[in-house]
Amino acid sequence: MLSRLIVISANSLKGCGPLGAGLVHASRSLHTSPQSLAPLPPLPETGGKVRHGIFPEELFQLLYPKTGVTGPYMLGTGLLVYMLSKEIYVINHETFAAASIGAVIIYGVKKFGPSVASLADKINEEKMAKAQEVKDLAISSLTEAIEDEKKEQCRNNVAMLLETNYRERLHMVTNEVKRRLDYQIALQNLHHRLEQEHMVNWVEKSVIGSITPQQEKESIAKCITDLKALAKATQARAAV
Amino acid sequence: MTLSLFDQFMSPTLLGIPLLALALTLPWVLMFKPGPRWAVNRLSTLQALFIKWFTKEIFQPMSLGGHKWAVLLTALVLFLITLNMLGLLPYTFTPTTQLSMNMAFAVPLWLATVIIGMRNQPNHSLAHLLPEGTPNLLIPILIMIETISLFIRPVALGVRLTANLTAGHLLIQLIATAAYVLFPIMPTVALLTSILLFLLTLLEVAVAMIQAYVFVLLLSLYLQENV
């Protein structure tokens, strides 16, 4: 039964001193739970519950179903009376010494217990608060960095939109100006061509108008004589 | 089981098996080791607090060469305090009541300080044997006296611890015996004796802590002289 107690309490004794490491390995050999050394299981926040300072609450819970609330007290009294009456425990001077040191311990714990415990708790709280502060600072600085990055991205997008818009409008402006200038050039060309045609027409008309009918007849007669002469020459060449 | 007054000082055995090793290693089991945890636990916090306070107290006035002794002296004070306090419980054996053990702590550590002093700064440590400003006639006598005082240091250290603890334990036993014997005869006197016993126990608790502290403090002072 004692070995069972040791095995059960091995889990809770893990933290205490050099026995702890040995107990971890010893309890591992029983394959009761998938125990691993990392990540470490969390330490209990407070010690086990005790009644009257020494007796663990588990004893009272153990005996409650069979013997009710007064069970453990009857057990304690019975044991004590048995040991005294059978002289298993003999009352001697050590008993008085034990009573005296017991009184000193109880007085010390009752008087200085809460203040010492609050001191230890305060130190632990400070340690935790410092670590928490570091963590919070890290988290807040990282969140700020994320926000800054987002703003940077926004700004980039907006800048790009503005740039694109500007370029579009510039393009439109250029096109419009070009169209206006092209129109002017076409207009000038047209003007030039019209003038030229008009001049040519006018010259032709004036030339044709200056030809009199007498001149026409003379030119036609000359043409006929020329033709005859040419025919004669060709005939002569053909006969040769 | 009848107890004589001196049974508590006998080396404990169980069926012929000496339990002294168990008594000596009990303080080791009761101390928390740092381990892989941050150790957020009331007891470990208090223990760490004590160790930090003690190391600061002893080693602040010491030059850097003596800081090598920090682990040894802090461990020694924890050991001695635990042994002394555990010995106040009834039916326990206190190893520090044995002169052999206390001398085993005092002589080697004191000798180490002396040898360190002689090796590193022989002139300075020899000069300790003669206080400043002594008239010339007294020099030989004074040197002899200082040498004797130097050699009596380990004896003083060991015997101081032994005597204080043994005397305290014996007193507790005697007064408890008186209360026990008087209890059926004159209960009132027994009550007074019990009150005396309570006060004595308070004193013994203080003595247990102080003696361990003084032991280590004196060793650190010897070290400070010589390092």
Side-chain angles (χ1 to χ4, degrees), chain A residues 2-240:
Chain A
L2 213 57
S3 60
R4 215 181 311 152
L5 181 68
I6 290 176
V7 163
I8 293 173
S9 61
N11 268 344
S12 52
L13 282 176
K14 264 203 305 277
C16 116
L19 276 187
L23 281 171
V24 166
H25 292 294
S27 59
R28 252 151 55 108
S29 63
L30 291 177
H31 304 295
T32 45
S33 63
Q35 228 177 22
S36 64
L37 288 172
L40 285 171
L43 268 179
E45 291 264 336
T46 54
K49 296 205 77 50
V50 283
R51 223 189 267 201
H52 306 298
I54 1 173
F55 304 108
E57 190 65 34
E58 281 87 7
L59 175 69
F60 293 81
Q61 298 306 321
L62 184 73
L63 293 174
Y64 182 74
K66 291 285 162 53
T67 51
V69 176
T70 51
Y73 296 105
M74 293 312 295
L75 178 66
T77 317
L79 263 176
L80 191 62
V81 169
Y82 161 70
M83 295 215 297
L84 283 173
S85 72
K86 289 272 201 178
E87 300 258 319
I88 294 176
Y89 176 71
V90 179
I91 294 196
N92 47 24
H93 63 280
E94 291 269 14
T95 315
F96 281 80
S100 155
I101 188 79
V104 166
I105 290 176
I106 291 175
Y107 170 70
V109 167
K110 281 261 155 62
K111 183 141 180 233
F112 301 110
S115 60
V116 166
S118 67
L119 176 76
D121 283 340
K122 190 166 71 100
I123 292 177
N124 283 347
E125 283 302 311
E126 277 172 16
K127 212 158 59 152
M128 292 310 245
K130 252 194 269 186
Q132 188 71 17
E133 204 183 296
V134 167
K135 185 171 131 185
D136 286 341
L137 198 69
I139 288 180
S140 72
S141 74
L142 283 174
T143 327
E144 256 180 56
I146 291 176
E147 290 297 320
D148 286 340
E149 273 304 308
K150 279 202 194 131
K151 280 200 206 118
E152 276 302 309
Q153 292 302 319
C154 267
R155 204 177 300 151
N156 280 356
N157 283 354
V158 165
M160 238 181 286
L161 271 174
L162 285 174
E163 185 78 13
T164 318
N165 205 9
Y166 169 71
R167 292 247 171 107
E168 266 178 20
R169 283 193 287 157
L170 194 65
H171 193 63
M172 207 168 65
V173 163
T174 319
N175 278 354
E176 286 293 313
V177 168
K178 193 149 128 355
R179 264 184 39 208
R180 301 265 191 294
L181 291 174
D182 281 345
Y183 171 70
Q184 292 298 326
I185 291 174
L187 201 65
Q188 274 184 0
N189 283 352
L190 184 69
H191 224 256
H192 206 253
R193 200 158 47 92
L194 275 180
E195 278 178 4
Q196 210 168 5
E197 271 184 18
H198 181 68
M199 260 195 283
V200 163
N201 278 353
W202 187 79
V203 165
E204 274 183 10
K205 212 168 36 183
S206 68
V207 163
I208 290 175
S210 72
I211 302 178
T212 57
Q214 176 67 21
Q215 269 181 327
E216 216 173 316
K217 251 190 222 159
E218 273 179 19
S219 70
I220 288 176
K222 188 157 188 315
C223 284
I224 292 172
T225 45
D226 278 338
L227 273 171
K228 275 184 189 165
L230 214 62
K232 229 183 259 176
T234 314
Q235 254 179 4
R237 215 178 306 133
V240 170

Side-chain angles (χ1 to χ4, degrees), chain B residues 88-187:
Chain B
L88 286 170
L89 298 169
Y91 301 106
T92 48
F93 170 69
T94 321
T96 36
T97 52
Q98 309 297 310
L99 185 64
S100 52
M101 176 170 135
N102 293 343
M103 293 301 273
F105 276 129
V107 171
L109 292 174
W110 161 83
L111 195 59
T113 60
V114 166
I115 290 179
I116 286 177
M118 289 290 176
R119 265 189 71 191
N120 296 349
Q121 26 184 11
N123 285 343
H124 182 76
S125 56
L126 278 175
H128 271 302
L129 288 177
L130 188 65
E132 266 184 55
T134 56
N136 285 349
L137 270 176
L138 284 175
I139 289 181
I141 306 175
L142 212 53
I143 292 195
M144 277 198 295
I145 292 176
E146 289 286 335
T147 315
I148 294 175
S149 104
L150 176 72
F151 279 97
I152 217 169
R153 275 180 182 175
V155 179
L157 272 178
V159 172
R160 180 186 304 111
L161 190 57
T162 314
N164 266 298
L165 270 117
T166 314
H169 282 241
L170 259 180
L171 261 179
I172 289 183
Q173 299 292 317
L174 281 169
I175 298 188
T177 311
Y180 168 63
V181 164
L182 284 172
F183 193 60
I185 306 176
M186 292 188 273

